[in-house]
Amino acid sequence: NLNIISVTGQVTPLEDVTASFTWSNLFADRKVSASNPLTFRDPSGTTAGTTFTGATTGRKDMGNEYDANINYAYTEDVTFGLSLGWYVPGRMFTAANNSTASQALAHVLVNF
């Protein structure tokens, strides 16, 4: 019951360096209401205790996600990378649940 629209762009500004950016818009199929609550399921598929009450009724906009990635191919077998991501909640969420979430990940890939 979630729709995601994503747009991605990728460039190679320098030899062995690749940068990409992705924007994703998330929105529900139907507006949240008392008869259509926002319910999250855990990996087993159960919904016990997962109905979310921090949503504004009459809204579908769940928010936007922004992801930036950069990879450097140090050698043919070694790549270094950095990924940055932000999730900006949409109008569906109340003020108590309207904080931007972010993460930063660094990685090294070694092929043998």
Side-chain angles (χ1 to χ4, degrees):
N1 298 333
L2 171 68
N3 297 294
I4 301 173
I5 297 173
S6 291
V7 177
T8 300
Q10 180 174 312
V11 295
T12 305
L14 302 169
E15 184 178 352
D16 300 327
V17 175
T18 303
S20 65
F21 181 81
T22 302
W23 164 78
S24 301
N25 177 256
L26 294 81
F27 58 98
D29 274 344
R30 296 180 298 174
K31 293 178 181 178
V32 174
S33 66
S35 62
N36 182 41
L38 180 60
T39 303
F40 294 100
R41 296 183 187 277
D42 66 24
S44 69
T46 62
T47 61
T50 57
T51 298
F52 180 67
T53 58
T56 303
T57 59
R59 301 288 189 180
K60 292 172 55 172
D61 177 25
M62 296 183 82
N64 292 287
E65 181 174 337
Y66 306 94
D67 298 301
N69 300 292
I70 188 162
N71 290 306
Y72 170 57
Y74 180 67
T75 66
E76 188 174 303
D77 299 322
V78 178
T79 302
F80 298 101
L82 178 65
S83 297
L84 304 171
W86 299 268
Y87 172 72
V88 181
R91 294 182 296 170
M92 174 185 284
F93 298 100
T94 61
N97 295 295
N98 201 17
S99 298
T100 299
S102 62
Q103 75 173 9
L105 302 170
H107 67 273
V108 177
L109 175 65
V110 179
N111 293 315
F112 292 97

